[in-house]
mmCIF file of all heavy atoms in Angstrom:
data_model
loop_
_atom_site.group_PDB
_atom_site.id
_atom_site.type_symbol
_atom_site.label_atom_id
_atom_site.label_comp_id
_atom_site.label_asym_id
_atom_site.label_seq_id
_atom_site.Cartn_x
_atom_site.Cartn_y
_atom_site.Cartn_z
ATOM 1 N N VAL A 109 121.183 137.272 121.796
ATOM 2 C CA VAL A 109 121.543 138.609 121.297
ATOM 3 C C VAL A 109 122.393 138.488 120.034
ATOM 4 O O VAL A 109 122.168 139.196 119.039
ATOM 5 C CB VAL A 109 122.270 139.419 122.379
ATOM 6 C CG1 VAL A 109 122.814 140.733 121.815
ATOM 7 C CG2 VAL A 109 121.342 139.701 123.552
ATOM 8 N N LEU A 110 123.378 137.618 120.056
ATOM 9 C CA LEU A 110 124.238 137.439 118.887
ATOM 10 C C LEU A 110 123.439 136.996 117.661
ATOM 11 O O LEU A 110 123.709 137.430 116.535
ATOM 12 C CB LEU A 110 125.339 136.420 119.190
ATOM 13 C CG LEU A 110 126.464 136.883 120.112
ATOM 14 C CD1 LEU A 110 127.365 135.710 120.486
ATOM 15 C CD2 LEU A 110 127.282 137.986 119.454
ATOM 16 N N ALA A 111 122.453 136.137 117.874
ATOM 17 C CA ALA A 111 121.629 135.664 116.754
ATOM 18 C C ALA A 111 120.863 136.827 116.126
ATOM 19 O O ALA A 111 120.809 136.948 114.889
ATOM 20 C CB ALA A 111 120.676 134.576 117.223
ATOM 21 N N LEU A 112 120.267 137.674 116.946
ATOM 22 C CA LEU A 112 119.530 138.815 116.409
ATOM 23 C C LEU A 112 120.478 139.814 115.750
ATOM 24 O O LEU A 112 120.157 140.381 114.695
ATOM 25 C CB LEU A 112 118.719 139.490 117.508
ATOM 26 C CG LEU A 112 117.583 138.652 118.114
ATOM 27 C CD1 LEU A 112 116.824 139.460 119.144
ATOM 28 C CD2 LEU A 112 116.626 138.167 117.035
ATOM 29 N N GLU A 113 121.629 140.031 116.350
ATOM 30 C CA GLU A 113 122.627 140.905 115.740
ATOM 31 C C GLU A 113 123.033 140.383 114.365
ATOM 32 O O GLU A 113 123.262 141.161 113.432
ATOM 33 C CB GLU A 113 123.879 140.997 116.621
ATOM 34 C CG GLU A 113 123.763 141.929 117.807
ATOM 35 C CD GLU A 113 125.079 142.062 118.549
ATOM 36 O OE1 GLU A 113 125.765 141.039 118.747
ATOM 37 O OE2 GLU A 113 125.424 143.189 118.946
ATOM 38 N N ALA A 114 123.138 139.067 114.230
ATOM 39 C CA ALA A 114 123.574 138.462 112.976
ATOM 40 C C ALA A 114 122.531 138.598 111.875
ATOM 41 O O ALA A 114 122.877 138.570 110.694
ATOM 42 C CB ALA A 114 123.901 136.992 113.198
ATOM 43 N N GLY A 115 121.253 138.714 112.266
ATOM 44 C CA GLY A 115 120.192 138.832 111.276
ATOM 45 C C GLY A 115 119.035 137.882 111.464
ATOM 46 O O GLY A 115 118.091 137.891 110.668
ATOM 47 N N ALA A 116 119.075 137.040 112.492
ATOM 48 C CA ALA A 116 117.940 136.162 112.780
ATOM 49 C C ALA A 116 116.765 136.983 113.289
ATOM 50 O O ALA A 116 116.946 138.037 113.911
ATOM 51 C CB ALA A 116 118.324 135.100 113.799
ATOM 52 N N ASP A 117 115.562 136.502 113.029
ATOM 53 C CA ASP A 117 114.348 137.151 113.524
ATOM 54 C C ASP A 117 113.785 136.450 114.750
ATOM 55 O O ASP A 117 113.258 137.101 115.648
ATOM 56 C CB ASP A 117 113.272 137.159 112.431
ATOM 57 C CG ASP A 117 113.696 137.932 111.211
ATOM 58 O OD1 ASP A 117 114.072 139.111 111.348
ATOM 59 O OD2 ASP A 117 113.663 137.353 110.109
ATOM 60 N N LEU A 118 113.858 135.123 114.771
ATOM 61 C CA LEU A 118 113.257 134.333 115.835
ATOM 62 C C LEU A 118 114.313 133.461 116.496
ATOM 63 O O LEU A 118 115.182 132.905 115.818
ATOM 64 C CB LEU A 118 112.137 133.442 115.288
ATOM 65 C CG LEU A 118 110.988 134.158 114.566
ATOM 66 C CD1 LEU A 118 109.980 133.149 114.047
ATOM 67 C CD2 LEU A 118 110.301 135.164 115.491
ATOM 68 N N VAL A 119 114.202 133.337 117.809
ATOM 69 C CA VAL A 119 115.142 132.561 118.609
ATOM 70 C C VAL A 119 114.430 131.288 119.053
ATOM 71 O O VAL A 119 113.473 131.337 119.832
ATOM 72 C CB VAL A 119 115.621 133.377 119.830
ATOM 73 C CG1 VAL A 119 116.479 132.517 120.736
ATOM 74 C CG2 VAL A 119 116.377 134.616 119.373
ATOM 75 N N LEU A 120 114.886 130.152 118.540
ATOM 76 C CA LEU A 120 114.240 128.870 118.825
ATOM 77 C C LEU A 120 114.900 128.180 120.009
ATOM 78 O O LEU A 120 116.115 127.985 120.034
ATOM 79 C CB LEU A 120 114.320 127.982 117.593
ATOM 80 C CG LEU A 120 113.760 126.559 117.712
ATOM 81 C CD1 LEU A 120 112.255 126.590 117.948
ATOM 82 C CD2 LEU A 120 114.084 125.744 116.465
ATOM 83 N N MET A 121 114.103 127.806 120.975
ATOM 84 C CA MET A 121 114.531 127.014 122.132
ATOM 85 C C MET A 121 115.797 127.549 122.796
ATOM 86 O O MET A 121 116.818 126.865 122.882
ATOM 87 C CB MET A 121 114.726 125.549 121.737
ATOM 88 C CG MET A 121 113.438 124.794 121.519
ATOM 89 S SD MET A 121 113.719 123.076 120.997
ATOM 90 C CE MET A 121 114.473 122.386 122.468
ATOM 91 N N PRO A 122 115.761 128.796 123.292
ATOM 92 C CA PRO A 122 116.910 129.250 124.076
ATOM 93 C C PRO A 122 117.036 128.393 125.329
ATOM 94 O O PRO A 122 116.040 127.878 125.846
ATOM 95 C CB PRO A 122 116.539 130.696 124.427
ATOM 96 C CG PRO A 122 115.045 130.736 124.369
ATOM 97 C CD PRO A 122 114.655 129.773 123.290
ATOM 98 N N ALA A 123 118.259 128.226 125.801
ATOM 99 C CA ALA A 123 118.478 127.376 126.980
ATOM 100 C C ALA A 123 117.741 127.918 128.203
ATOM 101 O O ALA A 123 117.374 127.154 129.099
ATOM 102 C CB ALA A 123 119.973 127.259 127.257
ATOM 103 N N ASP A 124 117.517 129.228 128.253
ATOM 104 C CA ASP A 124 116.796 129.869 129.356
ATOM 105 C C ASP A 124 116.013 131.026 128.752
ATOM 106 O O ASP A 124 116.593 132.051 128.371
ATOM 107 C CB ASP A 124 117.785 130.371 130.409
ATOM 108 C CG ASP A 124 117.112 130.978 131.627
ATOM 109 O OD1 ASP A 124 116.018 131.564 131.481
ATOM 110 O OD2 ASP A 124 117.688 130.899 132.726
ATOM 111 N N ALA A 125 114.691 130.865 128.638
ATOM 112 C CA ALA A 125 113.872 131.870 127.963
ATOM 113 C C ALA A 125 113.919 133.214 128.677
ATOM 114 O O ALA A 125 114.021 134.273 128.044
ATOM 115 C CB ALA A 125 112.434 131.378 127.853
ATOM 116 N N GLU A 126 113.840 133.195 130.007
ATOM 117 C CA GLU A 126 113.879 134.458 130.763
ATOM 118 C C GLU A 126 115.205 135.180 130.552
ATOM 119 O O GLU A 126 115.256 136.395 130.348
ATOM 120 C CB GLU A 126 113.644 134.191 132.246
ATOM 121 C CG GLU A 126 112.228 133.772 132.597
ATOM 122 C CD GLU A 126 111.232 134.929 132.539
ATOM 123 O OE1 GLU A 126 111.672 136.076 132.342
ATOM 124 O OE2 GLU A 126 110.030 134.674 132.690
ATOM 125 N N ALA A 127 116.299 134.424 130.596
ATOM 126 C CA ALA A 127 117.618 135.036 130.399
ATOM 127 C C ALA A 127 117.738 135.609 128.994
ATOM 128 O O ALA A 127 118.334 136.680 128.794
ATOM 129 C CB ALA A 127 118.710 133.999 130.647
ATOM 130 N N ALA A 128 117.174 134.926 128.003
ATOM 131 C CA ALA A 128 117.225 135.418 126.631
ATOM 132 C C ALA A 128 116.455 136.724 126.491
ATOM 133 O O ALA A 128 116.933 137.687 125.872
ATOM 134 C CB ALA A 128 116.678 134.364 125.680
ATOM 135 N N ILE A 129 115.253 136.767 127.075
ATOM 136 C CA ILE A 129 114.453 137.999 127.002
ATOM 137 C C ILE A 129 115.184 139.159 127.672
ATOM 138 O O ILE A 129 115.293 140.263 127.123
ATOM 139 C CB ILE A 129 113.073 137.776 127.651
ATOM 140 C CG1 ILE A 129 112.255 136.782 126.821
ATOM 141 C CG2 ILE A 129 112.325 139.105 127.790
ATOM 142 C CD1 ILE A 129 110.970 136.329 127.486
ATOM 143 N N GLU A 130 115.700 138.914 128.872
ATOM 144 C CA GLU A 130 116.381 139.981 129.610
ATOM 145 C C GLU A 130 117.614 140.477 128.859
ATOM 146 O O GLU A 130 117.884 141.686 128.812
ATOM 147 C CB GLU A 130 116.762 139.482 130.998
ATOM 148 C CG GLU A 130 115.568 139.259 131.920
ATOM 149 C CD GLU A 130 115.955 138.638 133.247
ATOM 150 O OE1 GLU A 130 117.175 138.499 133.494
ATOM 151 O OE2 GLU A 130 115.053 138.306 134.030
ATOM 152 N N ALA A 131 118.355 139.562 128.248
ATOM 153 C CA ALA A 131 119.566 139.958 127.523
ATOM 154 C C ALA A 131 119.226 140.786 126.285
ATOM 155 O O ALA A 131 119.918 141.766 125.975
ATOM 156 C CB ALA A 131 120.380 138.728 127.138
ATOM 157 N N ILE A 132 118.175 140.397 125.582
ATOM 158 C CA ILE A 132 117.788 141.156 124.381
ATOM 159 C C ILE A 132 117.271 142.534 124.773
ATOM 160 O O ILE A 132 117.612 143.549 124.145
ATOM 161 C CB ILE A 132 116.740 140.380 123.566
ATOM 162 C CG1 ILE A 132 117.323 139.055 123.068
ATOM 163 C CG2 ILE A 132 116.259 141.220 122.385
ATOM 164 C CD1 ILE A 132 116.279 138.111 122.477
ATOM 165 N N VAL A 133 116.469 142.602 125.821
ATOM 166 C CA VAL A 133 115.980 143.897 126.301
ATOM 167 C C VAL A 133 117.153 144.801 126.679
ATOM 168 O O VAL A 133 117.201 145.982 126.294
ATOM 169 C CB VAL A 133 115.027 143.707 127.500
ATOM 170 C CG1 VAL A 133 114.762 145.041 128.189
ATOM 171 C CG2 VAL A 133 113.712 143.078 127.047
ATOM 172 N N ALA A 134 118.116 144.248 127.411
ATOM 173 C CA ALA A 134 119.287 145.035 127.807
ATOM 174 C C ALA A 134 120.077 145.511 126.597
ATOM 175 O O ALA A 134 120.583 146.644 126.563
ATOM 176 C CB ALA A 134 120.179 144.214 128.730
ATOM 177 N N ALA A 135 120.173 144.660 125.577
ATOM 178 C CA ALA A 135 120.908 145.034 124.366
ATOM 179 C C ALA A 135 120.212 146.178 123.634
ATOM 180 O O ALA A 135 120.873 147.074 123.088
ATOM 181 C CB ALA A 135 121.048 143.828 123.445
ATOM 182 N N VAL A 136 118.877 146.174 123.620
ATOM 183 C CA VAL A 136 118.140 147.274 122.992
ATOM 184 C C VAL A 136 118.296 148.550 123.806
ATOM 185 O O VAL A 136 118.545 149.640 123.262
ATOM 186 C CB VAL A 136 116.652 146.900 122.826
ATOM 187 C CG1 VAL A 136 115.845 148.096 122.312
ATOM 188 C CG2 VAL A 136 116.499 145.718 121.875
ATOM 189 N N GLN A 137 118.181 148.432 125.105
ATOM 190 C CA GLN A 137 118.285 149.615 125.965
ATOM 191 C C GLN A 137 119.670 150.241 125.923
ATOM 192 O O GLN A 137 119.811 151.464 126.035
ATOM 193 C CB GLN A 137 117.904 149.243 127.404
ATOM 194 C CG GLN A 137 116.430 148.929 127.583
ATOM 195 C CD GLN A 137 116.079 148.475 128.990
ATOM 196 O OE1 GLN A 137 116.895 147.856 129.681
ATOM 197 N NE2 GLN A 137 114.874 148.782 129.426
ATOM 198 N N SER A 138 120.686 149.429 125.733
ATOM 199 C CA SER A 138 122.054 149.951 125.692
ATOM 200 C C SER A 138 122.442 150.456 124.308
ATOM 201 O O SER A 138 123.493 151.091 124.143
ATOM 202 C CB SER A 138 123.046 148.859 126.105
ATOM 203 O OG SER A 138 123.132 147.846 125.113
ATOM 204 N N GLY A 139 121.634 150.183 123.318
ATOM 205 C CA GLY A 139 121.961 150.566 121.957
ATOM 206 C C GLY A 139 122.727 149.512 121.182
ATOM 207 O O GLY A 139 123.013 149.697 119.995
ATOM 208 N N ARG A 140 123.072 148.400 121.820
ATOM 209 C CA ARG A 140 123.766 147.334 121.109
ATOM 210 C C ARG A 140 122.892 146.791 119.974
ATOM 211 O O ARG A 140 123.382 146.509 118.874
ATOM 212 C CB ARG A 140 124.137 146.217 122.089
ATOM 213 C CG ARG A 140 124.861 145.046 121.450
ATOM 214 C CD ARG A 140 125.197 143.975 122.491
ATOM 215 N NE ARG A 140 125.735 142.784 121.851
ATOM 216 C CZ ARG A 140 126.033 141.654 122.504
ATOM 217 N NH1 ARG A 140 125.872 141.581 123.825
ATOM 218 N NH2 ARG A 140 126.512 140.608 121.839
ATOM 219 N N LEU A 141 121.614 146.613 120.253
ATOM 220 C CA LEU A 141 120.624 146.283 119.225
ATOM 221 C C LEU A 141 119.740 147.507 119.030
ATOM 222 O O LEU A 141 119.210 148.053 120.008
ATOM 223 C CB LEU A 141 119.753 145.115 119.648
ATOM 224 C CG LEU A 141 120.205 143.683 119.379
ATOM 225 C CD1 LEU A 141 119.215 142.702 119.993
ATOM 226 C CD2 LEU A 141 120.340 143.419 117.887
#
C-alpha cells in the first residue's frame, strides 16, 4: 500500500501476494488509495 501511495505502479515480489492484494483492496475501499 505504501508503495502505491508513494507513486509506484507495480509491486514486485511482495512477501505475501494474497496479503498484498487484500491490503490494497482495503485501502481503496476505505479511501486511503
Side-chain angles (χ1 to χ4, degrees):
V109 172
L110 287 172
L112 295 183
E113 281 185 318
D117 298 305
L118 302 178
V119 174
L120 177 65
M121 286 178 67
D124 183 328
E126 290 286 354
I129 293 171
E130 291 174 7
I132 297 169
V133 168
V136 174
Q137 291 176 329
S138 70
R140 180 180 173 185
L141 273 176

